[in-house]
Amino acid sequence: MGKQEKIYGYLIDQPLPDISLGQSIMNKMHEYSDTVFLIDGCNNDYRLTYRDLLEKSVKLAKFMQRYGIKIGDRIAIVSENRLEWLIALCATLYIGAIFAPYNPTYTEWEFRHVLNISEPRIVFVSQRTEETFTKLQPSLSWQIELIELDDKPFAANMRTLTNILNDEKVADFLKYKTVNIGDIKKHPAVLLNSSGTTGLPKAVALSHRNLLTLLLKVSKRDFLDITQDTRSLIFLPFYHGFAFATLLISLTVGANVMVMSNFQPERFLKLVQKYKPTFLPIVPSIMTLLAKHPLVERNDFRSLREILCGGSPLGKELVDAVKARIGDIYIRNGYGMTELTVLTSVSAYEESDVTALHCIVPGLCSKIVDIETQKTLDVDQVGEVCFKGDQIMMMYWNNPEATKQTIDEDGWLHTGDLGYYNEHGAMYVVDRLKELIKYNGYQVSPSEIEMVLLSHPAVRDATVCGRPDPRSGELPTAVIVKQPGATVTAENIMEFVKQKLSPHKWLRGGVQFVDAIPKNATGKSLRREVQLMIQATVSKL
């Protein structure tokens, strides 16, 4: 593909070992055997070595095979972060079943939706989710077995993982053989839930080859500097692609991972002091906390070599503020989506502007297309970001129409993100196509305004949405959480934005101060809920 076509990156046919992801993981467990892999930072520092994980996951795999689980059957898990999560994942991969993690904060209606997509035969639950699934179980059109990860289930007759592992006798787990799944391109390894570019959650089917490709290509210093001496601290939910990929990469290089079941600022800071992590995967909301939380300055972050931030656009001002507080470490911006096997592009180590994504994973091509005409655009022209290559998902599981809408007939995946490439080949992601504010014919990026707002010393958190307006279409409107003790007014904030941005980006819809902004488990603002907050306030006026 020539440069004149304005296509970036390059396709390569990089050979992979012709083994399943399960076999690849098992090989690494043998290699790193006595190394500690996981430490539970919220459960008395319980530790799991690679050998422990191998033994427990082989026992669970043997149980599932005796239960009748076959290649292609789905195994679900719906739990907070915990060490047992990895046991279920590995066992599922060994036997050629398909792993389907769910968000434990889903409502009963949302659980029913994702269950009907993947139709799992076994669901691992925790005390947090057991009662909801016990209630759902009789109404499903297929039979599911619930297995409780905690030792004390609410239901008296429910199997527990501990009982299974105690009862399962494996003469020599070191000699266990994984199931031959055949063509690794054609066999899904996981179904990760994603909203895609629009609509309800969909199950993204990633093949064994998709994930092996990711593991081979990103565990290099240009992408993620995760090596055997890396200590990561993961509080992002395991079911989310970012944390899931970090776990897999760590597992395959012999690294050490500290686990938090959920994010609590004080506990997070204590674990940083105690375990001295070297690598921290986070989202912009946690970057904001590092920049502004009063406890941060009392803690020592010198162990950190690198922070990788993903999930939504990251502003240079926020990065500078974090470095000023915790030290001049590498802070890098990552871009990707579940449908692209999580990660496609990162900012370069020595690049001061972290919004510039210089590094495309080898084997991927990218282009920018016009939203209306689908014509490939030139340098510095904003359009939809598209990718093609080995990391493109197999499909949306049981949803051929959504798959067709996302991957075109030439194999290009349309991300739903707006961005552009500059003359040096760096990609800049502007915003989500569906989140743009349409003001008087202008397309206004909420993220751009949010970055400006977060640079204000009195602003702790901010989300910008469009407020419907009969004359202008939508008016940019901000919902803001103040820093403790701040006396800033809405007029102060609006004037601050006026000084920074052009007129069509001004906060003509006003500013609302709130105690907290609704967010999902990965820290992204729930814009629909924020818009409802804005509409409710307007209706009272």
Side-chain angles (χ1 to χ4, degrees), residues 38-41 43-48 52 56 83-84 275:
L38 297 168
I39 301 174
D40 192 336
N43 184 22
N44 299 318
D45 299 337
Y46 179 72
R47 295 170 182 241
L48 203 65
D52 294 334
K56 292 175 186 294
L83 306 195
E84 295 87 353
Y275 290 112

Side-chain angles (χ1 to χ4, degrees), residues 426-454:
M427 182 176 77
Y428 294 81
V429 179
V430 176
D431 219 318
R432 291 291 288 168
L433 181 59
K434 63 182 179 180
E435 291 173 355
L436 284 179
I437 298 168
K438 307 294 178 60
Y439 168 73
N440 273 348
Y442 290 98
Q443 294 182 334
V444 178
S445 164
S447 295
E448 183 182 7
I449 305 175
E450 287 164 2
M451 289 178 192
V452 170
L453 291 172
L454 290 171

Side-chain angles (χ1 to χ4, degrees), residues 215-284:
L215 297 178
L216 175 68
K217 294 178 180 176
V218 305
S219 56
K220 316 287 186 197
R221 190 176 186 276
D222 283 349
F223 294 97
L224 296 186
D225 189 17
I226 300 178
T227 60
Q228 192 172 359
D229 67 346
T230 297
R231 297 185 303 277
S232 300
L233 175 57
I234 300 181
F235 50 80
L236 300 176
F238 288 176
Y239 65 81
H240 188 269
F242 193 0
F244 183 79
T246 306
L247 283 170
L248 280 183
I249 295 165
S250 300
L251 178 57
T252 56
V253 300
N256 177 237
V257 176
M258 283 75 73
V259 175
M260 291 180 68
S261 57
N262 53 34
F263 184 78
Q264 300 169 331
E266 291 77 12
R267 181 179 290 275
F268 162 72
L269 292 169
K270 286 180 180 177
L271 289 176
V272 168
Q273 306 315 299
K274 184 172 184 178
Y275 290 112
K276 302 190 183 310
T278 60
F279 179 78
L280 193 62
I282 63 174
V283 289

Side-chain angles (χ1 to χ4, degrees), residues 55-74:
E55 180 177 8
K56 292 175 186 294
S57 55
V58 165
K59 285 183 175 182
L60 181 57
K62 294 289 285 185
F63 164 80
M64 290 198 290
Q65 286 175 310
R66 287 196 302 102
Y67 185 81
I69 301 299
K70 304 180 297 297
I71 292 177
D73 286 343
R74 275 76 66 201

Side-chain angles (χ1 to χ4, degrees), residues 35 46 63 123 185 219 248 294-295 314 320 399 521:
T35 302
Y46 179 72
F63 164 80
V123 180
K185 289 182 181 179
S219 56
L248 280 183
L295 289 178
L314 182 64
D320 291 342
N399 197 336

